[in-house]
């Protein structure tokens, strides 16, 4: 797989490669082509090296006898960031790093699949960064992101869409969904908005009053 950097000046989202299940090469290639900055978590570095990807930043706690120095030559130039704080996941620390660099948006791959606890944590932690970083998690089956209070986007008819509350979300209204929501409440573990779909070609509008609401655009 080739390098990246078709764009400049951070006008496109950065890319974080975590260490969950790999996505299809086509998806990863598309994201690399338009990513001005590629950050790889230490646990995924060997897998990334096997794909011949140019890495800009290697970040992690470097535990389990991980030796970052070997990549200084193989991936030159590369920035190596040691983040030993065990109170945060390496993905959270990567988000913090991007915020410090004033990068406004990031796509994340390899963050789902494999261990269920990692998948759940990676997805639900998006809400913590609502006001600091626009985060999109992608895999071969879905695109996940946190909704603003009012969301509008054009979709073709029958596009599968799921609305997943992080905790408790109130005052939800929708238009152009097959199963409409009118001043509804969703609560994780009790009632969610999974397996809905777009009613007809056109704009889908979703509004909510309180809480953190995830959108999943599904591709299956």
């Amino acid at each position: 797989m080739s390098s990246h950097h078709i764009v400049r000046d951070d006008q496109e989202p950065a890319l974080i490669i975590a260490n969950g299940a790999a996505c299809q090469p086509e998806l990863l290639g598309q994201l690399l082509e338009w990513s001005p900055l590629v950050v790889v978590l230490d646990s995924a570095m060997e897998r990334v090296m096997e794909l011949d990807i140019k890495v800009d930043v290697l970040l992690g706690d470097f535990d389990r006898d991980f030796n970052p120095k070997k990549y200084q030559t193989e991936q030159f130039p590369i920035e190596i960031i040691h983040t030993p704080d065990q109170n945060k996941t390496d993905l959270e620390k990567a988000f913090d790093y991007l915020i410090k660099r004033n990068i406004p948006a990031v796509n994340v791959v390899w963050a789902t699949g494999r261990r269920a606890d990692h998948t759940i944590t990676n997805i639900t932690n998006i809400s913590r960064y609502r006001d600091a970083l626009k985060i999109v998690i992608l895999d071969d089956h879905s695109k996940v992101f946190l909704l603003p209070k009012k969301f509008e986007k054009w979709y073709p008819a029958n596009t599968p869409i799921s609305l997943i509350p992080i905790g408790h979300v109130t005052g939800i209204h929708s238009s152009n969904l097959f199963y409409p929501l009118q001043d509804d409440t969703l609560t994780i573990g009790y009632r969610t908005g999974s397996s809905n779909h777009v009613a007809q070609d056109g704009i889908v509008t979703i509004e909510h009053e309180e809480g953190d609401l995830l959108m999943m655009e599904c591709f299956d």
Side-chain angles (χ1 to χ4, degrees), residues 3 31 51 59 90 108 138 148 165-166 183 217:
S3 184
L31 294 171
L51 296 175
L59 181 147
D90 283 347
V108 185
L138 302 104
I166 302 178
D183 198 23
E217 299 173 358

Side-chain angles (χ1 to χ4, degrees), residues 43-84:
S43 53
M45 191 60 182
E46 284 301 318
R47 297 168 63 196
V48 169
M49 290 287 291
E50 292 172 359
L51 296 175
D52 193 29
I53 294 171
K54 178 65 184 79
V55 176
D56 298 301
V57 179
L58 170 61
L59 181 147
D61 52 22
F62 304 157
D63 59 1
R64 296 183 296 274
D65 299 320
F66 183 86
N67 179 18
K69 294 182 179 179
K70 63 180 289 188
Y71 303 107
Q72 289 178 327
T73 299
E74 298 176 17
Q75 283 279 341
F76 182 86
I78 185 172
E79 184 177 5
I80 295 177
I81 307 293
H82 183 212
T83 54

Side-chain angles (χ1 to χ4, degrees), residues 64-215:
R64 296 183 296 274
D65 299 320
F66 183 86
N67 179 18
K69 294 182 179 179
K70 63 180 289 188
Y71 303 107
Q72 289 178 327
T73 299
E74 298 176 17
Q75 283 279 341
F76 182 86
I78 185 172
E79 184 177 5
I80 295 177
I81 307 293
H82 183 212
T83 54
D85 183 2
Q86 294 298 313
N87 293 316
K88 291 186 176 182
T89 68
D90 283 347
L91 183 57
E92 291 174 288
K93 290 180 276 190
F95 292 152
D96 292 340
Y97 168 82
L98 295 178
I99 292 167
K100 289 180 181 178
R101 287 194 51 166
N102 295 316
I103 293 174
V106 62
N107 293 317
V108 185
V109 292
W110 298 13
T112 59
R114 292 193 169 187
R115 284 181 53 171
D117 56 342
H118 290 172
T119 296
I120 293 169
T121 299
N122 291 342
I123 290 175
T124 56
N125 276 352
I126 292 177
S127 62
R128 297 177 52 188
Y129 298 90
R130 172 186 288 280
D131 299 322
L133 185 65
K134 182 179 179 180
I135 301 168
V136 178
I137 294 180
L138 302 104
D139 58 30
D140 294 330
H141 308 288
S142 61
K143 176 181 178 181
V144 185
F145 53 94
L146 190 67
L147 290 182
K149 296 298 185 183
K150 183 174 182 179
F151 171 81
E152 294 182 308
K153 183 177 175 180
W154 189 96
Y155 290 97
N158 299 315
T159 299
I161 283 176
S162 289
L163 299 176
I164 308 298
I166 302 178
H168 190 67
V169 181
T170 61
I172 307 171
H173 296 264
S174 72
S175 64
N176 198 22
L177 291 182
F178 186 80
Y179 301 107
L181 296 160
Q182 299 298 332
D183 198 23
D184 277 284
T185 296
L186 299 178
T187 303
I188 194 69
Y190 293 90
R191 184 192 178 201
T192 65
S194 62
S195 298
N196 210 330
H197 61 270
V198 178
Q200 59 186 6
D201 290 355
I203 297 291
V204 168
T205 301
I206 300 168
E207 299 180 74
H208 68 282
E209 294 178 1
E210 298 294 336
D212 294 315
L213 188 60
L214 292 174
M215 161 80 86

